[in-house]
Amino acid sequence: MRALILFILLTFAAPATAGTRVSLLPFESGLSFTPESPRAIQADHPLFRRIELEETENMPGRIGSFLTPITKPSEFNEALRSTLASANMLAETSDTARARLRVVWRQFELPFRISISSKAMVAIYYELSRLDNGQVIFSREIVTHAEARGGDGSTRARGTGRAAILANIASVTLCLQKAAFGQDPSNCALQTVGSFSAPITVAIPVYR
């Protein structure tokens, strides 16, 4: 299955403040996604409150370095769970679940370098299967990239890493919504646009 590659370019007009933090929640991040955004599905959707989420497999205890922490399993799992709940896709109880989402952390890169820019990449595998017969109805590795320039190096690096993860969560949410109707595109990656913790602005060219 072809990987999905989203390149996010964060341009820092001036040094970011120490409090700058990119949310991992697409519905609450304050950022927009293009060409589409994940949304809250309605009761007639096949995945309406039907997904049971497993804990992420193979995710290290800490993503990032001691000086530049990006996230950890508990935060990532909660962000994905919260996003599915906000999209009306997370089952309210195990009795109402009809499908299980398996998540496998594949790779994260945030190379350290003395530079005015930072780059990050995250690859996560998602597999949705029916609970009644185990049939796999969605299987995809999503790879998202982010690049940022300017500002404080540590803050920039952390924001770059989190932006790549945010894009991944948003992308799989929308892709699952489409996959239920057999309409998931070969490239599910979304573009993130907007601004957060001014003066940081977000513009995204996509490389295929």
Side-chain angles (χ1 to χ4, degrees), residues 7 17 21 27 29 35 45 49 56 66 68 78 80 84 88 121 131 155 158 183 186 189 208:
F7 184 93
T17 64
R21 180 181 177 87
F27 291 101
S29 67
H45 191 284
R49 298 177 181 173
T56 303
F66 176 76
T68 310
E78 182 54 35
L80 184 54
L84 292 177
N88 286 333
M121 182 279 291
L131 287 175
T155 301
R158 189 178 189 211
Q183 299 173 350
S186 60
R208 302 188 187 281

Side-chain angles (χ1 to χ4, degrees), residues 150-184:
D152 172 74
S154 178
T155 301
R156 180 185 65 241
R158 189 178 189 211
T160 305
R162 292 177 68 85
I165 297 170
L166 169 67
N168 213 288
I169 293 174
S171 296
V172 71
T173 303
L174 180 59
C175 206
L176 284 171
Q177 293 175 350
K178 290 177 174 291
F181 298 104
Q183 299 173 350
D184 51 313

Side-chain angles (χ1 to χ4, degrees), residues 92-112:
E92 296 181 326
T93 68
S94 58
D95 292 336
T96 60
R98 296 294 180 268
R100 176 181 293 116
L101 182 62
R102 179 179 176 228
V103 184
V104 182
W105 189 273
R106 288 276 174 85
Q107 189 176 2
F108 178 83
E109 294 181 357
L110 182 63
F112 172 79

Side-chain angles (χ1 to χ4, degrees), residues 28-65:
E28 301 176 21
S29 67
L31 300 175
S32 300
F33 302 92
T34 186
E36 298 180 72
S37 295
R39 64 195 186 283
I41 60 176
Q42 302 302 310
D44 59 349
H45 191 284
L47 293 180
F48 182 78
R49 298 177 181 173
R50 293 303 194 203
I51 295 179
E52 178 179 272
L53 179 64
E54 292 187 346
E55 294 292 297
T56 303
E57 301 175 29
N58 300 337
M59 187 173 182
R62 179 179 64 205
I63 302 299
S65 66

